[in-house]
Amino acid sequence: MTPTQRDSYKVNKLISLELPPALKSLNFASFVIGESLSFFGSWMTQIALVWLVYQLTNSAMLVGVAGFTNQAVGLFITPLAGVLLDRWNLRYVLLTTQIVSIVLSSTLTFLTLNNHINVTWIIVIGMLQGTVKAFDLPARQVIIPRLVETKAEVYSAMASHSFLINTAKFVSPMIGGILIARSGAASCFLVDAISYLPFLSAILTSKVKSLPDSISKRKPQIWENLKEGFVFAYEFLPIKYLLMLQILVCFMAMTYVNLTPIFAKEILNGNAETLGFLMTASAFGSIVSGIYLISRKKALGLAEIIARAAIFLGLSLILFSRSTVWEFSLLFIFLIGMNNTLTLAALSNFMQLIITDENKRGRVTSIFTTGFLGILPIGNLFFGALASQVGVDNALLFGGICCLIGACVFTKKLGTIKKIVNPIYEGMS
């Protein structure tokens, strides 16, 4: 072997070692890259809708109402969707949700361009989008373990999934803010409609492992199946504690996304570009947390990471709420984005790893998705009303304090969680 060949071999070996195991699979990589592109458009639309509602109404309360109606249906539909996902073909579910999403985003584009858009239309379309998400988001997570070859690759797959999605989240706010300022919200809706096309292609071409016949044929009554999923989530203590923390974070902390446009305008005296930079800083924090999770390459220690990130999330919200200086606000919202994503992504990865019964994966995932889609809109509604009464800064302060207290309570449960999940880790090695 010549010196040049040896150098080339060393470089290739180094790249191979650094690449997460799951991303070495073309099957998984094409799926998750297509998925991240669709999320790019979705987050851009989310930012554009919030800004559009505030621009049309100048009301923090109506921003909260719009956020509530966009996702409230998830509180009722998502648990039932989990039962159906354990029965249905996931590929067909995802194809349907992407096609419907294209239609809804195209409708938003048409209405906005023709100056027919109003809060009523935003609420109606938001409710339809929430219905789609009730099936779409848990289906995306449930399918991930079925795209990789071995159980040992599941952590790598979930971490890579979170990283690529947050990469899209990093780019979309900045571009969205610029597009809103220069071309209007309709341009964001149009980009969203187009962004689903690569994911449609990935869904059609990906190979999805089927469940064993002994699992796929278990089809008791729907309500009995639904009850079984809730009982499992409640009685398996690690799942129960994770769900409680997720509900707290989604209600008290995650609502900062809806309050940021108000904060940008009222506290920082900014515009759409100010909002874009704030959300970009937040998303950049998400990228950092994603790099950290993907670099770990193993699940051991995730519970401690979740606890620490939740504590720092509460502290970051408190600091952000007190900031009136542009540079400090960028720093603090970066920390919020980093710790918010680290908490929720690590929590989601951890949850997928400790579900040993494939027959319950869809239901448990949908219960966690309910904690996001169902609880978040209630938080949006609550904090929209709170911000209109006490100011957006004080509303953020209240959320940060509650998040900090809840994170400390979760930390006290770490001993119990580790005792139960350690045998599961040993079975994966």
Side-chain angles (χ1 to χ4, degrees):
M1 185 181 289
T2 65
T4 302
Q5 290 174 327
R6 281 197 297 270
D7 290 342
S8 177
Y9 173 79
K10 290 177 182 178
V11 170
N12 290 334
K13 187 176 180 181
L14 180 61
I15 293 173
S16 176
L17 288 172
E18 290 179 347
L19 190 66
L23 286 179
K24 295 177 184 177
S25 165
L26 181 61
N27 185 55
F28 172 76
S30 62
F31 180 91
V32 78
I33 290 172
E35 181 189 24
S36 65
L37 290 174
S38 74
F39 271 119
F40 168 84
S42 298
W43 275 310
M44 189 180 293
T45 286
Q46 181 181 345
I47 294 167
L49 281 176
V50 171
W51 183 261
L52 188 58
V53 171
Y54 194 61
Q55 189 178 49
L56 290 171
T57 66
N58 202 36
S59 168
M61 180 64 186
L62 284 176
V63 169
V65 169
F68 173 79
T69 54
N70 182 271
Q71 295 172 317
V73 289
L75 183 62
F76 306 102
I77 298 177
T78 308
L80 180 60
V83 176
L84 298 174
L85 290 177
D86 281 331
R87 299 160 173 253
W88 288 351
N89 185 305
L90 292 176
R91 190 192 306 274
Y92 295 155
V93 172
L94 287 172
L95 285 173
T96 303
T97 56
Q98 305 322 300
I99 292 170
V100 175
S101 295
I102 291 173
V103 172
L104 293 176
S105 296
S106 299
T107 302
L108 277 173
T109 306
F110 175 80
L111 290 173
T112 307
L113 286 175
N114 288 277
N115 296 318
H116 295 314
I117 195 70
N118 53 45
V119 175
T120 301
W121 272 115
I122 291 173
I123 289 174
V124 170
I125 293 175
M127 292 179 68
L128 294 173
Q129 288 176 326
T131 303
V132 172
K133 288 177 185 176
F135 289 89
D136 185 58
L137 294 183
R140 294 185 188 214
Q141 288 204 53
V142 171
I143 204 173
I144 292 297
R146 301 181 194 175
L147 295 170
V148 295
E149 292 298 322
T150 65
K151 200 169 184 179
E153 293 178 341
V154 172
Y155 173 76
S156 172
M158 295 303 299
S160 302
H161 172 259
S162 299
F163 172 73
L164 289 173
I165 288 173
N166 285 310
T167 300
K169 188 178 179 181
F170 167 69
V171 178
S172 60
M174 178 175 59
I175 297 178
I178 294 173
L179 284 177
I180 293 170
R182 298 183 180 179
S183 305
S187 57
C188 293
F189 304 145
L190 179 60
V191 170
D192 185 23
I194 296 171
S195 71
Y196 291 104
L197 298 178
F199 191 34
L200 271 175
S201 175
I203 295 167
L204 288 168
T205 57
S206 296
K207 296 178 181 178
V208 182
K209 288 191 298 184
S210 59
L211 293 175
D213 290 340
S214 59
I215 292 177
S216 59
K217 290 180 180 178
R218 295 177 195 166
K219 294 184 178 181
Q221 295 296 320
I222 287 181
W223 296 113
E224 178 186 340
N225 213 331
L226 181 61
K227 178 183 176 182
E228 187 182 53
F230 275 101
V231 169
F232 175 79
Y234 180 81
E235 292 183 348
F236 189 48
L237 292 181
I239 293 286
K240 177 182 176 180
Y241 295 148
L242 290 172
L243 182 59
M244 291 170 64
L245 181 64
Q246 187 208 38
I247 289 172
L248 176 78
V249 170
C250 286
F251 188 90
M252 293 295 177
M254 193 59 188
T255 47
Y256 85 91
V257 175
N258 257 39
L259 295 179
T260 300
I262 306 169
F263 190 91
K265 187 171 183 179
E266 293 187 358
I267 306 299
L268 300 179
N269 298 315
N271 54 21
E273 290 192 14
T274 306
L275 171 63
F277 282 114
L278 284 173
M279 297 308 295
T280 299
S282 171
F284 182 60
S286 297
I287 288 285
V288 172
S289 64
I291 292 172
Y292 171 69
L293 285 175
I294 206 172
S295 68
R296 296 185 72 253
K297 299 181 181 178
K298 59 181 180 179
L300 197 63
L302 273 180
E304 291 87 345
I305 290 172
I306 293 167
R308 287 197 298 268
I311 289 173
F312 284 118
L313 174 59
L315 290 172
S316 301
L317 272 168
I318 292 170
L319 292 172
F320 180 70
S321 72
R322 301 298 91 190
S323 173
T324 57
V325 179
W326 162 246
E327 291 80 6
F328 287 153
S329 296
L330 281 177
L331 172 62
F332 295 143
I333 203 168
F334 163 81
L335 295 174
I336 291 171
M338 181 176 69
N339 288 291
N340 181 70
T341 297
L342 190 55
T343 301
L344 295 178
L347 189 151
S348 177
N349 296 353
F350 189 48
M351 182 270 296
Q352 291 291 341
L353 286 166
I354 63 179
I355 299 175
T356 56
D357 187 352
E358 288 295 330
N359 187 43
K360 296 185 178 70
R361 187 176 297 277
R363 281 168 286 169
V364 175
T365 301
S366 70
I367 291 170
F368 271 81
T369 307
T370 302
F372 180 79
L373 291 181
I375 301 303
L376 181 59
I378 298 174
N380 286 335
L381 188 64
F382 173 82
F383 276 93
L386 185 64
S388 66
Q389 295 297 317
V390 302
V392 65
D393 50 351
N394 292 323
L396 288 166
L397 175 64
F398 174 75
I401 292 172
C402 292
C403 182
L404 181 60
I405 294 171
C408 292
V409 173
F410 177 81
T411 302
K412 293 183 179 180
K413 305 294 184 181
L414 286 179
T416 302
I417 294 173
K418 289 166 65 177
K419 184 178 179 180
I420 296 172
V421 302
N422 281 342
I424 299 175
Y425 287 153
E426 292 173 5
M428 293 177 60
S429 57

